[in-house]
Amino acid sequence: MRETLLDIIQNMPKVELHRHLEGSMRIDTLLDIAHTYDRELADMSLEELRPHVQMVPGQALSSDVFLSKFRTLRQFYNSPETIQRITREVVIDAALDNIKYMELRFTPRALCNVIGCEYPHVMNWVCDTVAETAARYDIEVRLLVSMNRHEGEQIGNEVLDMALRYRDRGVVGIDLAGQEKGYSAKPFAPIFLRAKAEGLQTTAHAGEWMGAQSVLECVEQLQVNRIGHGIRAVEDNTIVAILADRGIILETCPTSNLHSGVVKDLEQHPLIDLHNAGVRTTINTDDPLISNVTLTTELLDVMFTMKLSLDDIKQQTLNAMEGAFLPDDERNAMVEKFNVWLEDVIHTQETDD
């Protein structure tokens, strides 16, 4: 049964709205980079490197352990060549997983800090590589640029300036990420309202390590189109109703939520409760390397742990496509394509049964 469903979902056209470039590289590529640049990790085997960059059995499921992986991973973005290689491989891996539309987010400030360069350098390397690779591998990819709460509004304004400058190069929106606990989203309201006035779409991480009020703050103050994670909205029925009424899409990442300690197990994940309350939910990977998942395996695990059907997965996929940060005509055309593609998958399965 599981092998049959794995094959079906692997072949199913998919949508990814929440994937971080910095957490999506191939682990064997990290070893190559370590060897090339004579890093202190160069003498490690693949299995010795793994616990430094990936959640492995026996590690605590907590935000501290989860985020520690990023501190190691970002060190590998240490040259234009490595940034381009990793970006290229992330797009290829998504295409090989039969993802037909993906929004890939990255944090230019963090990458600039590693390599000691200016924003336009990183923007050019990522935008150009994504465009070239996506064209070769038959996948639509758009970019979101992230700013971190804990780094302040000045950097946030700089990141928005870059997003606006590169919106004809695949950038469609901005994202607020970083340390949710202890850092309000409210100071970023002028930045997000400026982005919307300039025609960019917006999303923000919230309701992950802080509760439902963090979600409401991003909806009310930042006026975001989507929420990254957002699952702790389930703690307040009034806020759940607001999300449902306004059609705010949640970019849920179940395995990531497990690994970062937000949920105790996938069976208790709020995805189903939120969906049943009328909230438009989607399923995403967040950081495929760190959680050792693909979108295919993520969907499969959700089906088994949350008792979802193929029709449910189809609806989650359509929710994602309908929430894509594309012009209306492009998004509507893609939704029509996905309706046809997914109907073919469901029909084929029913015929085989």
Side-chain angles (χ1 to χ4, degrees):
M1 176 66 172
R2 189 178 180 93
E3 289 183 1
T4 300
L5 281 175
L6 176 62
D7 186 58
I8 292 169
I9 297 174
Q10 175 65 59
N11 291 314
M12 178 184 289
K14 292 177 281 292
V15 180
E16 174 89 87
L17 295 183
H18 193 117
R19 179 177 295 203
H20 292 266
L21 172 65
E22 294 90 339
S24 301
M25 64 280 282
R26 300 172 183 172
I27 193 168
D28 52 354
T29 293
L30 299 186
L31 274 184
D32 286 349
I33 294 171
H35 293 150
T36 300
Y37 291 90
D38 194 27
R39 294 181 43 78
E40 61 184 66
L41 301 174
D43 293 333
M44 288 187 177
S45 68
L46 191 67
E47 292 310 311
E48 288 172 332
L49 174 62
R50 192 179 300 278
H52 295 276
V53 298
Q54 194 170 82
M55 298 297 294
V56 298
Q59 288 185 331
L61 302 179
S62 70
S63 60
D64 289 341
V65 174
F66 186 84
L67 293 175
S68 72
K69 313 301 179 185
F70 281 104
R71 289 192 286 273
T72 301
L73 289 173
R74 284 198 172 119
Q75 298 174 38
F76 287 85
Y77 289 86
N78 53 14
S79 74
E81 293 76 19
T82 59
I83 291 175
Q84 291 166 323
R85 175 182 177 179
I86 291 169
T87 302
R88 181 169 57 253
E89 291 176 351
V90 169
V91 174
I92 292 171
D93 289 345
L96 293 175
D97 196 28
N98 211 26
I99 293 173
K100 293 299 185 183
Y101 179 83
M102 176 170 68
E103 289 178 8
L104 183 65
R105 62 192 71 194
F106 67 106
T107 310
R109 176 70 178 190
L111 300 183
C112 287
N113 288 343
V114 173
I115 201 172
C117 66
E118 301 297 323
Y119 285 117
H121 294 111
V122 166
M123 297 297 296
N124 284 329
W125 298 329
V126 173
C127 290
D128 289 348
T129 303
V130 164
E132 293 165 4
T133 311
R136 287 187 59 195
Y137 285 86
D138 189 29
I139 178 175
E140 293 286 335
V141 182
R142 299 296 184 270
L143 292 164
L144 305 176
V145 290
S146 295
M147 60 193 72
N148 287 324
R149 294 169 181 251
H150 57 276
E151 291 180 333
E153 304 96 286
Q154 179 178 337
I155 291 175
N157 275 300
E158 293 170 358
V159 170
L160 174 56
D161 289 341
M162 286 297 103
L164 292 169
R165 180 172 168 181
Y166 284 82
R167 58 183 166 179
D168 63 342
R169 305 268 295 278
V171 174
V172 293
I174 60 171
D175 168 44
L176 183 65
Q179 297 177 26
E180 188 180 3
K181 189 174 183 178
Y183 293 90
S184 169
K186 188 174 181 178
F188 292 85
I191 298 171
F192 274 66
L193 296 179
R194 179 162 73 95
K196 292 177 74 72
E198 293 282 355
L200 287 177
Q201 305 281 357
T202 59
T203 183
H205 288 65
E208 186 180 13
W209 292 306
M210 293 293 290
Q213 287 298 320
S214 176
V215 175
L216 183 63
E217 184 177 59
C218 288
V219 171
E220 297 284 4
Q221 300 294 328
L222 273 57
Q223 298 181 24
V224 293
N225 306 95
R226 301 194 317 238
I227 293 287
H229 301 286
I231 60 171
R232 292 186 61 186
V234 78
E235 298 168 3
D236 189 314
N237 290 336
T238 299
I239 294 174
V240 170
I242 289 172
L243 294 176
D245 290 344
R246 299 188 186 182
I248 303 295
I249 287 181
L250 299 188
E251 309 156 358
T252 72
C253 308
T255 298
S256 175
N257 296 152
L258 175 67
H259 287 164
S260 61
V262 180
V263 297
K264 292 183 179 180
D265 55 60
L266 290 182
E267 289 84 353
Q268 296 181 24
H269 196 279
L271 171 67
I272 300 302
D273 289 340
L274 289 163
H275 172 73
N276 289 341
V279 179
R280 298 172 69 194
T281 54
T282 66
I283 300 170
N284 307 272
T285 61
D286 203 8
D287 303 287
L289 169 62
I290 295 176
S291 290
N292 194 20
V293 296
T294 65
L295 188 52
T296 291
T297 62
E298 186 76 358
L299 293 172
L300 185 67
D301 286 344
V302 167
M303 285 188 71
F304 275 87
T305 57
M306 302 183 199
K307 312 304 181 187
L308 296 186
S309 67
L310 278 174
D311 280 328
D312 293 326
I313 295 301
K314 173 185 175 181
Q315 187 58 58
Q316 295 294 312
T317 302
L318 289 174
N319 286 349
M321 197 63 247
E322 290 167 357
F325 288 166
L326 290 172
D328 290 345
D329 57 341
E330 291 183 37
R331 183 175 58 253
N332 292 339
M334 288 293 289
V335 169
E336 287 185 15
K337 283 185 179 181
F338 269 87
N339 264 309
V340 173
W341 289 337
L342 292 168
E343 194 61 37
D344 285 345
V345 170
I346 301 298
H347 176 72
T348 300
Q349 170 64 15
E350 290 173 345
T351 301
D352 291 344
D353 289 345

